[in-house]
Amino acid sequence: MTSSVRCYQLDQSEYIHLFSSQLIYLFSLFNEYDYSIRIIGGAVRDILLGTTPHDIDLATTATTNDILRLIQGDSNIELVYTRAEHFGTLTLIVGTTVRNTFQVTTLKRSITRHGRDVHVEFTDNWSIDAQQRDLTINSLSMDKDGIIYDYTNGIDDLKLNRIRFNGNIIQRLQENPIRGLRYFRFFGVLSSDAYVHEPNILEAIRTSATALKDVPGEKIWSELELILRGRFAGHVMRTILEQQFAPLLGLPDSSVEMYELENRWLRCMNYQPEPMTLLITLFDNQDEFDIFCKRIKCSTRQKKLGEFLLDYRYSIQPSNNHDLLDTYKEFLIDSHSTQQDILYEYIIELLKYQGYIDLIDDIKQWSIPKFPIDIWDLQQNGLISKYHFSHFLRQLKEQWKLSQYMMTKEELIEYGFQSGLFYT
């Protein structure tokens, strides 16, 4: 399997900032021993799109054993053992004072998967490696001189905002089932039309979808989270669910909620809703959400946000008085002081979920007033409560709220004496 290569020379100003002293050291080491090494995949794509890459991944003609021999005894390079060595990927931390981490992967000829068992065959041919990668836009590589190598017309696809698999789509998906979700993720990033998918791609993804059952939940959540933060999150998520993905992702299977998720995103997309704010639309109850959390290892923060939205999406609603946010504010004021910051963020997500977009800016301009008194204040003043402290602190807090949060500590203590709440 061979193909021609098209080369594109970048201006030095477009790529030189990527080459830290640590990366230059790594390139020099490999080149000294006649191994070819290049920046690969997403970093090259991002450079062409004019964005700064988050990570720099590298590919090389050297095998993992070759790399281990190269770095043996090199005090400037630390090897971090992961579970990816079997797949030809080594994680290297380069540098002493300033340290950068790089994943270096041996070029691949083929990937064969049987359930969770994966066999990888390696090569030293850049063209073969490029053609077995998932998407053409991720198959680009770049050397130290800023020359980009394009074996699969990935640059043309980037210019056309086209997401295209390399070669046989079914084969690419069989090699790694997560590639179906990766397609949707990059579609959301690059496509110029939220609704236009090539029918053969969707058919192949549908046909291969069952293999997702063998993909670890953490990997699925990693893709879902990026999809739900994408430009076309609502549209893309609806398309995913239309491919019958829901059971494989631990999600309830409901066409009604699928469209409601899309509508919810349309209402609040300009306020960057959290992934879980959108996804919770699909769940009717806690049991359904628990099934999802068991399948998908989402972050603790996202899980707690989901639980909060399930608990309060109907019970906290705008007030009927002049301040529509009264019920939201009162909830925050009544919450424990150590939880107020995170609950404040959750309340903003709740407003997005409920569609009260015009109230978001108002609550962002509001600061939670701090109740000026606590048990320690009372004890230090030698006060003794007729009841448990928590009981009469609630009474003082109600009086403080009636004063529109204006009463000071001294005024509250004086009120306590005058009302007979406590004595000395």
Side-chain angles (χ1 to χ4, degrees):
M1 180 171 60
T2 59
S3 68
S4 59
V5 59
R6 297 166 64 190
C7 295
Y8 178 76
Q9 176 67 63
L10 290 178
D11 185 86
Q12 191 179 61
S13 62
E14 296 178 275
Y15 70 90
I16 195 64
H17 63 284
L18 298 179
F19 282 85
S20 61
S21 59
Q22 294 79 17
L23 185 57
I24 292 171
Y25 180 87
L26 208 54
F27 267 70
S28 299
L29 179 63
F30 278 71
N31 292 333
E32 181 183 349
Y33 289 91
D34 296 323
Y35 294 114
S36 180
I37 183 169
R38 299 177 189 169
I39 297 176
I40 193 74
V44 184
R45 180 194 67 237
D46 290 345
I47 292 169
L48 290 171
L49 291 172
T51 61
T52 301
H54 294 295
D55 302 297
I56 298 177
D57 294 328
L58 305 170
T60 180
T61 54
T63 66
T64 52
N65 286 334
D66 293 331
I67 298 171
L68 291 173
R69 282 193 294 270
L70 280 182
I71 67 174
Q72 187 175 14
D74 192 327
S75 60
N76 203 40
I77 300 178
E78 177 187 348
L79 172 66
V80 178
Y81 285 98
T82 66
R83 291 180 291 181
E85 292 84 7
H86 173 71
F87 307 108
T89 299
L90 295 179
T91 300
L92 306 179
I93 301 177
V94 184
T96 51
T97 305
V98 177
R99 312 178 81 201
N100 288 340
T101 302
F102 304 98
Q103 287 193 332
V104 185
T105 302
T106 302
L107 301 182
K108 295 182 178 70
R109 176 180 294 276
S110 64
I111 303 171
T112 307
R113 180 181 294 270
H114 299 286
R116 295 197 174 190
D117 294 327
V118 180
H119 174 73
V120 181
E121 184 180 353
F122 301 102
T123 183
D124 60 359
N125 187 302
W126 286 96
S127 173
I128 291 174
D129 177 86
Q131 292 174 74
Q132 66 78 39
R133 291 179 179 269
D134 56 356
L135 305 172
T136 60
I137 60 171
N138 293 335
S139 301
L140 305 165
S141 56
M142 186 184 77
D143 65 17
K144 62 181 176 59
D145 299 314
I147 298 175
I148 293 179
Y149 299 83
D150 183 5
Y151 300 91
T152 63
N153 294 322
I155 292 177
D156 286 346
D157 288 335
L158 265 184
K159 290 177 179 177
L160 294 171
N161 301 110
R162 182 170 59 197
I163 312 302
R164 188 167 58 88
F165 280 91
N166 281 314
N168 186 298
I169 304 174
I170 294 288
Q171 184 179 348
R172 296 288 84 81
L173 293 170
Q174 287 174 341
E175 290 167 350
N176 190 349
I178 201 70
R179 287 173 168 176
L181 289 177
R182 279 172 59 81
Y183 162 79
F184 288 112
R185 192 226 306 176
F186 286 110
F187 181 91
V189 171
L190 297 173
S191 179
S192 55
D193 191 316
Y195 300 99
V196 178
H197 298 265
E198 294 183 21
N200 65 318
I201 291 180
L202 292 185
E203 175 61 29
I205 289 174
R206 247 189 330 269
T207 302
S208 307
T210 54
L212 275 172
K213 70 181 186 299
D214 296 319
V215 176
E218 303 94 305
K219 289 187 176 181
I220 289 178
W221 174 250
S222 178
E223 293 298 328
L224 276 181
E225 187 172 21
L226 292 169
I227 288 167
L228 289 162
R229 293 188 189 279
R231 286 186 308 144
F232 301 136
H235 307 318
V236 172
M237 199 64 203
R238 190 194 78 185
T239 304
I240 289 173
L241 295 173
E242 286 174 340
Q243 312 315 307
Q244 310 303 313
F245 270 41
L248 299 164
L249 304 178
L251 293 169
D253 195 1
S254 171
S255 58
V256 175
E257 279 76 11
M258 173 175 69
Y259 289 102
E260 178 54 31
L261 186 153
E262 183 178 28
N263 290 332
R264 176 158 284 118
W265 174 76
L266 285 168
R267 290 193 294 267
C268 67
M269 62 181 183
N270 292 331
Y271 283 82
Q272 294 81 47
E274 287 289 331
M276 194 58 74
T277 302
L278 299 174
L279 210 54
I280 210 69
T281 307
L282 304 176
F283 302 100
D284 285 335
N285 53 60
Q286 184 66 45
D287 289 342
E288 290 181 347
F289 187 61
D290 288 342
I291 291 171
F292 172 74
C293 292
K294 186 175 180 180
R295 172 67 181 100
I296 306 296
K297 306 298 190 294
C298 60
S299 66
T300 300
R301 183 181 183 280
Q302 290 290 327
K303 181 180 179 181
K304 288 186 177 299
L305 171 59
E307 292 170 340
F308 176 85
L309 293 173
L310 276 175
D311 286 342
Y312 294 105
R313 58 184 172 179
Y314 303 126
S315 60
I316 301 179
Q317 293 289 332
S319 305
N320 294 323
N321 57 32
H322 69 283
D323 188 351
L324 297 175
L325 286 168
D326 261 358
T327 51
Y328 301 89
K329 292 176 179 179
E330 187 166 352
F331 174 84
L332 290 170
I333 291 167
D334 286 340
S335 63
H336 195 281
S337 59
T338 60
Q339 295 294 310
Q340 285 180 340
D341 287 345
I342 189 65
L343 290 175
Y344 178 77
E345 294 177 18
Y346 289 176
I347 285 291
I348 291 174
E349 292 304 310
L350 178 62
L351 290 168
K352 296 175 190 177
Y353 177 90
Q354 294 171 329
Y356 299 125
I357 306 304
D358 53 335
L359 298 179
I360 294 174
D361 288 335
D362 291 341
I363 202 163
K364 283 185 176 180
Q365 294 171 10
W366 174 76
S367 297
I368 303 173
K370 180 176 172 53
F371 185 48
I373 195 169
D374 57 27
I375 291 173
W376 304 111
D377 290 320
L378 303 179
Q379 290 178 335
Q380 287 172 4
N381 281 277
L383 301 175
I384 302 171
S385 172
K386 291 181 179 178
Y387 311 97
H388 293 297
F389 276 124
S390 58
H391 168 79
F392 100 89
L393 279 175
R394 284 196 297 270
Q395 300 296 315
L396 290 179
K397 195 166 193 177
E398 287 303 316
Q399 189 64 27
W400 175 67
K401 286 158 67 175
L402 289 173
S403 75
Q404 298 297 308
Y405 319 112
M406 298 299 292
M407 289 181 72
T408 65
K409 179 194 303 184
E410 292 73 19
E411 289 170 336
L412 286 168
I413 292 174
E414 183 179 352
Y415 169 81
F417 282 120
Q418 292 177 350
S419 63
L421 277 175
F422 51 78
Y423 59 89
T424 55

